[in-house]
Amino acid sequence: PNKLFTDSKSAPFDAIHVGAAASSVPDALVRQLKPGGRMLIPVGEQDGAQEYLQLDKNRGGEVSVKSLFGVRYVPLIKKKK
């Protein structure tokens, strides 16, 4: 399993900004988003199309996703040990 994102002891968060492209939206980050919160994250493959996504979690915990625009970010990678 990918342990790049672990559940934070400081969660939940009102807002999450991810500064590098993930291949998909990490479930662990969605879990850390507070109801009523927003996440902004670039998503897509390093050599392919990427889009800047806005995820909003409503008060009931449902998540909506909106593509804002195309982007080119460096990949979000796990540090080597």
Side-chain angles (χ1 to χ4, degrees), residues 1-19:
N2 186 343
K3 297 190 182 211
L4 179 60
F5 299 105
T6 57
D7 289 322
S8 171
K9 292 179 184 178
S10 299
F13 299 104
D14 293 314
I16 298 174
H17 170 261
V18 180

Side-chain angles (χ1 to χ4, degrees), residues 6-46:
T6 57
D7 289 322
S8 171
K9 292 179 184 178
S10 299
F13 299 104
D14 293 314
I16 298 174
H17 170 261
V18 180
S23 58
S24 63
V25 177
D27 289 336
L29 288 182
V30 175
R31 285 192 304 273
Q32 292 179 51
L33 191 61
K34 182 185 288 187
R38 175 171 288 171
M39 180 188 325
L40 297 170
I41 181 171
V43 175
E45 298 302 321
Q46 180 178 1

Side-chain angles (χ1 to χ4, degrees), residues 40-57:
L40 297 170
I41 181 171
V43 175
E45 298 302 321
Q46 180 178 1
D47 296 323
Q50 295 178 352
E51 55 187 332
Y52 200 59
L53 300 181
Q54 173 182 311
L55 285 79
D56 292 297
K57 185 182 279 189

